[in-house]
Amino acid sequence: MDHSTYLKELAAAYQGEVRGEAGFTTLADHAANADEREVWQMLARLERTTREQLIPLMEKHGLDTTPDEAQRRLGRERGEARIAAGFAATVGAMTKSLQPYLTLYARLEAEGPPGDRAELAFLNAHEVALHEFAIRAAAGDGREALQPVRTLLGE
């Protein structure tokens, strides 16, 4: 991956975390019950933590760390669209929608500059944990589905 593509993908990943946090926060704000609220709040925290982990890397490369309001708005809109679908449909959709990011973030970690690998490893690990959560939740694992996320966040 050439350097300009790397920087473009890094900035997109950062703003993707902005979008993800907004979407999960919206879902938490409209959760059907306390258990679902806990899930969506934890996933919003995962997205926020990941974005915060990327800030030093973004600054190192001279990239803007201002959250893009258009991405935040898109995240809220996506969250609002998923509210009516319900929890099960939302986590089921996540198992498929996360696939491109799993591939991209693994590639960023593998091909990114050696000095950036710690942050890129966290970015990749967060997507793997999110996907593992979605698979477990779709299978009916309940609150235990959050274990991969809790482990990554050190909880």
Side-chain angles (χ1 to χ4, degrees):
M1 173 179 315
D2 67 61
H3 190 66
S4 65
T5 300
Y6 169 71
L7 294 180
K8 180 180 139 211
E9 295 294 355
L10 180 60
Y14 179 84
Q15 295 300 339
E17 301 313 307
V18 171
R19 185 176 60 248
E21 180 183 0
F24 290 135
T25 298
T26 299
L27 287 164
D29 290 346
H30 297 90
N33 57 56
D35 285 345
E36 288 179 16
R37 185 173 306 106
E38 177 189 350
V39 166
W40 300 132
Q41 286 172 338
M42 179 161 287
L43 298 183
R45 187 165 59 248
L46 175 64
E47 298 291 279
R48 181 177 53 256
T49 300
T50 302
R51 181 179 58 81
E52 290 169 352
Q53 290 282 324
L54 293 175
I55 289 174
L57 193 55
M58 297 280 290
E59 291 173 343
K60 172 181 160 181
H61 291 289
L63 299 171
D64 186 8
T65 59
T66 305
D68 183 337
E69 287 306 313
Q71 291 299 316
R72 189 171 277 147
R73 186 172 44 257
L74 181 59
R76 285 192 300 266
E77 289 169 359
R78 286 182 179 175
E80 289 166 0
R82 297 306 311 170
I83 291 166
F87 184 83
T90 299
V91 297
M94 287 171 61
T95 63
K96 296 173 187 74
S97 67
L98 295 173
Q99 291 295 334
Y101 299 101
L102 289 166
T103 301
L104 175 61
Y105 296 169
R107 183 174 176 218
L108 283 171
E109 181 181 4
E111 297 179 18
D116 295 356
R117 293 280 163 79
E119 294 88 349
L120 297 173
F122 191 89
L123 175 66
N124 189 29
H126 114 280
E127 205 67 16
V128 170
L130 190 56
H131 187 252
E132 182 63 25
F133 154 77
I135 290 170
R136 290 176 178 205
D141 284 356
R143 294 174 70 191
E144 289 305 308
L146 283 170
Q147 193 53 50
V149 175
R150 284 190 181 104
T151 299
L152 184 63
L153 292 174
E155 297 181 6

